[in-house]
Amino acid sequence: MEVQSPKKKHGTKRKVILVLFIALMAVGLFLIGQIIYTKYVLPRPVEFTTFSPFERRIFDLDASEIKEIRFFSWERVYSNGTRRTPFYTFDTKEEIEAFVEYLNSFRYTHTEPGPDPINLGKEGIPSCRFSAETRNGENFHCSFEQNRVYIGEVWYYGDPAFFQKLMDLEK
């Protein structure tokens, strides 16, 4: 007489639950990836920046393509009521190459979503703006503070001393 063993129904249920769990995790990771891509990658001007999270690079400027660099501080109101927005223009080949090399060497440590551009610089922290114009007329703008740069709705934080050179130009 043969003894038949009962079929294991629990094994099939476990496999189905496991497959559903893995599928749900994959969909969740895909959605998180899309949110990160939409918030941090798409708003960047890709002509001037790179997405290199493992290298922690953000700038990818080519000095030979840049015609002029303008660096200017936020408008300042002095005690006598006068307003001044100092700016500096770098248009010689040597100045542009030095400035581009300096910016391309920036490495960020972490990122955070930035404020809306209207409220940028209203925190009382010394800040400045940067504008580069290419030979074909494209423009790139970003804002700097003591330890971070604002590009495409995102703050990229770095070494607090990195932008001191730019902050010294403001004075």
Side-chain angles (χ1 to χ4, degrees), residues 12-45:
T12 306
K13 284 184 181 179
R14 286 184 184 161
K15 288 179 185 176
V16 169
I17 290 172
L18 181 62
V19 167
L20 288 175
F21 178 74
I22 291 172
L24 184 62
M25 290 297 292
V27 168
L29 288 174
F30 175 77
L31 291 175
I32 289 171
Q34 287 295 326
I35 290 169
I36 290 171
Y37 183 77
T38 303
K39 184 65 179 169
Y40 291 97
V41 179
L42 286 183
R44 289 181 307 98

Side-chain angles (χ1 to χ4, degrees), residues 86-130:
F87 70 91
Y88 308 89
T89 302
F90 305 102
D91 53 5
T92 67
K93 182 180 178 182
E94 294 79 21
E95 289 175 328
I96 290 172
E97 285 176 354
F99 208 82
V100 165
E101 183 180 333
Y102 177 69
L103 289 180
N104 285 345
S105 69
F106 175 68
R107 299 294 183 264
Y108 64 92
T109 56
H110 65 284
T111 61
E112 284 184 10
D116 59 89
I118 295 170
N119 292 317
L120 198 60
K122 292 186 177 177
E123 299 168 352
I125 299 171
S127 57
C128 51
R129 298 226 346 122
F130 163 81

